[in-house]
Amino acid sequence: WFADETIAGSYEDALAAAPPIEDKVERALAREGRSSVRDLTYCVDVSDSRIRKALAALLEEGKAIVDKTGSIQVFMPAESNRETGLR
């Protein structure tokens, strides 16, 4: 609060200043390595649907890859495909 009792900034200002969810997910993938949607939901502390949308964007941009060989899809940073041979 300011002296004139106005609020210092708005919710929209705070949202505009926050990094995009894709950046948070990309950093979590880099830090954690192979991660499921549930793992990333816990790390980033957002809903599964927001994680899935962010992962879809990262996959489209080529910044992440997915391993679909098991019953759970596992995501990893794109740099990992050199080591694993995944695409």
Side-chain angles (χ1 to χ4, degrees):
W1 295 90
F2 289 115
D4 64 358
E5 298 185 9
T6 59
I7 296 175
S10 66
Y11 180 72
E12 291 79 16
D13 293 338
L15 284 178
I21 189 70
E22 292 84 3
D23 290 351
K24 292 180 180 181
V25 171
E26 186 177 10
R27 285 195 304 272
L29 276 177
R31 184 178 58 249
E32 302 295 326
R34 297 173 55 92
S35 302
S36 67
V37 171
R38 181 172 292 194
D39 296 334
L40 292 168
T41 298
Y42 178 75
C43 289
V44 182
D45 195 28
V46 296
S47 68
D48 284 2
S49 61
R50 290 190 67 199
I51 292 291
R52 291 180 195 282
K53 288 177 186 176
L55 286 168
L58 291 173
L59 289 168
E60 188 175 306
E61 295 170 11
K63 294 181 178 180
I65 56 174
V66 62
D67 179 1
K68 298 180 184 181
T69 57
S71 60
I72 297 176
Q73 291 183 348
V74 178
F75 298 86
M76 61 198 86
E79 302 84 50
S80 298
N81 73 354
R82 292 188 199 106
E83 301 163 9
T84 62
L86 296 173
R87 295 177 186 212

